[in-house]
Amino acid sequence: MDLTINNRINHQTAFKNGSQSQKQGSENPITRKGEAAKLVLATFGTGIGFGAKALFDLLDGDFIVDTFIESGEKIANKNFKNTKGPKKVIVKIGAILGLAGLFVGGLASLYTILSAPKISYESKVKTFEKTKEFDAYIKTNEIEKNLYEQINNKAKEASKEEKEELKNQYLLLKKAKNNTPDIQ
């Protein structure tokens, strides 16, 4: 008896999953979280560019270069006391580059945090626009599918002249194909 109950449960879950996967094809894939994630990533990338430019502008003066080198040497000497020769130089260079990366990443994070209200607003606007565009695409796709089915059903019972007319209608429908919206 347990076996039949388990089979029913498995069958019902499989049926639900199957109906959901069929339904997903006509659902809109645009989400606000996805749009916000894209904008955060783009803003952080811009912040990295801003941070790198600021770092290069600061490197024009000798003070910041000396500070990075001294700090890198202190870190290398403190954490890698037993290394000597070329390994010591590599560790120092790595520490200096790490400090530079920390500086750039910090400025990029600060830029992203300060841009958060703009990101929130733009993600709402872009999500709304893309959702409406994609909804229209889905509806026209359903209409197009129905027209193809109607042409197919008529062609099954049509005479030679009607088939020629249906062929012309089919070609017109092909020319007016529904193009996928640009949702990137």
Side-chain angles (χ1 to χ4, degrees), residues 4 29 35 40 57 69-70 80 83 85 103 108 115 123 135 141-142:
T4 56
E35 289 301 311
V40 166
D57 287 344
I69 292 173
E70 288 173 11
F80 299 97
T83 56
F103 177 80
S115 300
S123 69
D135 285 343
N141 244 10
E142 289 174 6

Side-chain angles (χ1 to χ4, degrees), residues 54-69:
L55 179 66
F56 288 126
D57 287 344
L58 288 175
L59 288 179
D60 285 344
D62 292 333
F63 172 72
I64 201 77
V65 174
D66 293 338
T67 305
F68 271 137
I69 292 173

Side-chain angles (χ1 to χ4, degrees), residues 148-158 166:
Y148 279 125
E149 286 176 2
Q150 288 175 9
I151 290 174
N152 187 31
N153 291 338
K154 287 180 183 178
K156 290 177 183 175
E157 304 165 358
L166 288 172

Side-chain angles (χ1 to χ4, degrees), residues 113-126:
I113 289 169
L114 293 176
S115 300
K118 178 183 172 188
I119 292 171
S120 176
Y121 174 75
E122 285 184 4
S123 69
K124 289 177 186 175
V125 170
K126 285 187 176 190

Side-chain angles (χ1 to χ4, degrees), residues 15-27:
F15 180 76
K16 285 180 185 174
N17 291 341
S19 65
Q20 286 174 353
S21 65
Q22 289 173 354
K23 210 176 193 182
Q24 267 182 340
S26 62
E27 286 183 9

Side-chain angles (χ1 to χ4, degrees), residues 69-80 91 95-96 99:
I69 292 173
E70 288 173 11
S71 298
E73 286 178 353
K74 284 180 186 176
I75 291 171
N77 291 334
K78 182 180 178 184
N79 294 325
F80 299 97
V91 168
I96 293 168
L99 287 172

